[in-house]
């Protein structure tokens, strides 16, 4: 561990520092570390006169521990522990997960169903129709998104729409998205995807595209900055059940909105979509996979 009393700001992850340093600590120091990691709320709430007997160490040992983890006394250590708990308390005491594979299957199925129902209830039909008008106006569709989920959702937008004959350019890089947006004009579309709707580079790209005349659409959380800054909002907020171990159910809700757009667009331009799909299938069967009933390049 580096020497010194305080090497980083209040934003430093004190719990990670304690966990990393624990193997090199003395027996008494390890008792303090384990008490913090096991019950951070309790540690932060107890006064020094109660902490020492609760942990089973002396008050001076606790003081020395504070210096060891680069805190200027017990008060700072407690403040930094409370700061970590505000950000990640549910990661310290996650909900009890299913204990069998069958339980996992049932839990994930229930979450997926709930996410689809939530997404369906939020989606305004008139906003979908307006989005379809824009997507089918003949311009280029730029799909912007970044982050763990949004970055691959923009690829899914391309995957769903190119096969019905629409021109889609996906972009996961914030700087490039803004540069693309600066080249747009009337008839073009910016379709943004963001779970939280507060991604700074994405907000910039949407604003720039709108300034140059492109129609901006967002699949994002209602009430977010992105939701307020686009022409057409397709709201999607899937409640989180608090289980940090499982994959986020928001994916299902966002995929549902994307599929609604793709399917409805294909129906609107059915002859064109059918011809594009026929061409794809012709080449797929001829060059890649001869099985006629296999899904088209999925």
């Amino acid at each position: 561990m580096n020497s010194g009393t305080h090497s980083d700001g209040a934003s430093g992850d004190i719990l990670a520092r304690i966990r990393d340093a624990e193997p090199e600590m003395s027996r008494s120091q390890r008792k303090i570390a384990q008490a913090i990691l096991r019950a951070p709320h309790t540690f932060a709430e107890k006064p020094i006169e109660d902490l020492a007997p609760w942990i089973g160490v002396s008050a001076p040992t606790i003081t020395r521990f504070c210096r060891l983890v680069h805190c200027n006394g017990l008060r700072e250590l407690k403040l930094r522990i409370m700061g970590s708990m505000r950000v990640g308390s549910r990661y310290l005491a996650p909900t009890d997960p299913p204990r069998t594979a069958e339980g996992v299957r049932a839990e994930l199925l229930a979450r997926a169903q709930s996410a689809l129902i939530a997404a369906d209830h939020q989606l305004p039909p008139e906003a979908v129709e307006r989005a379809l008008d824009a997507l089918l106006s003949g311009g280029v569709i730029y799909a912007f998104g970044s982050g763990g989920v949004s970055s691959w959702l923009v690829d899914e937008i391309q995957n769903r729409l190119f096969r019905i004959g629409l021109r889609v350019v996906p972009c996961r890089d914030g700087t490039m998205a803004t540069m693309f947006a600066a080249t747009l004009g009337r008839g073009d579309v910016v379709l943004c995807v963001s779970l939280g709707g507060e991604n700074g580079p994405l907000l910039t790209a949407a604003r720039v595209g709108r300034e140059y005349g492109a129609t901006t659409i967002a699949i994002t959380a209602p009430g977010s900055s992105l939701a307020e800054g686009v022409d057409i909002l397709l709201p999607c907020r899937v409640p989180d059940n608090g289980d940090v171990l499982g994959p986020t159910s928001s994916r299902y809700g966002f995929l549902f909105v994307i599929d609604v757009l793709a399917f409805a667009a294909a129906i609107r331009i059915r002859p064109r979509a059918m011809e594009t799909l026929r061409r794809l299938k012709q080449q797929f069967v001829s060059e890649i996979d001869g099985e006629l009933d296999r899904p088209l390049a999925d």
Side-chain angles (χ1 to χ4, degrees), residues 9-244:
S11 62
D13 189 344
I14 188 66
L15 297 180
R17 168 173 291 176
I18 293 171
R19 193 182 303 276
D20 291 344
E22 184 183 352
E24 301 176 4
M25 293 179 180
S26 68
R27 181 179 178 183
S28 296
Q29 293 167 345
R30 193 174 297 117
K31 290 176 70 174
I32 300 172
Q34 291 171 351
I36 293 172
L37 296 174
R38 182 178 64 251
H41 288 88
T42 304
F43 184 93
E45 292 170 355
K46 283 183 177 293
I48 183 65
E49 58 268 21
D50 294 337
L51 271 179
W54 175 64
I55 299 173
V57 299
S58 66
T61 300
I62 296 176
T63 301
R64 289 192 294 272
F65 179 89
C66 295
R67 292 196 295 267
L68 179 70
V69 295
H70 299 183
C71 289
N72 295 319
L74 182 60
R75 181 177 181 275
E76 182 182 346
L77 176 60
K78 288 185 174 183
L79 287 173
R80 298 182 69 184
I81 290 172
M82 288 188 290
S84 291
M85 289 190 297
R86 280 196 298 271
V87 173
S89 60
R90 62 178 182 164
Y91 295 88
L92 301 173
T95 57
D96 189 26
R99 300 186 181 276
T100 65
E102 185 61 32
V104 169
R105 289 175 56 190
E107 177 69 17
L108 290 179
L109 179 60
R111 292 183 191 180
Q113 290 173 332
S114 296
L116 292 171
I117 292 171
D120 179 55
H121 286 172
Q122 296 173 64
L123 197 56
E126 64 278 7
V128 174
E129 296 297 337
R130 291 177 59 211
L132 291 171
D133 290 341
L135 293 172
L136 300 176
S137 63
V140 179
I141 302 165
Y142 288 82
F144 295 157
S146 62
V149 174
S150 300
S151 59
W152 63 262
L153 285 174
V154 298
D155 287 331
E156 182 63 11
I157 290 171
Q158 181 189 44
N159 188 39
R160 295 268 66 87
L161 297 183
F162 93 89
R163 66 188 59 232
I164 61 173
L166 302 183
R167 294 176 292 168
V168 185
V169 178
C171 181
R172 295 169 295 279
D173 180 89
T175 301
M176 281 300 300
T178 299
M179 294 172 68
F180 276 132
T183 70
L184 304 186
R186 296 192 181 279
D188 294 323
V189 174
V190 171
L191 176 52
C192 299
V193 185
S194 175
L195 271 64
E198 300 297 339
N199 182 296
L202 190 61
L203 292 171
T204 300
R207 175 181 56 79
V208 171
R210 195 177 189 187
E211 288 177 356
Y212 284 105
T215 301
T216 52
I217 306 170
I219 307 174
T220 192
S224 64
S225 299
L226 182 60
E228 300 297 328
V230 296
D231 299 305
I232 304 169
L233 170 64
L234 300 174
C236 187
R237 176 185 282 132
V238 176
D240 188 348
N241 71 346
D243 183 357
V244 300

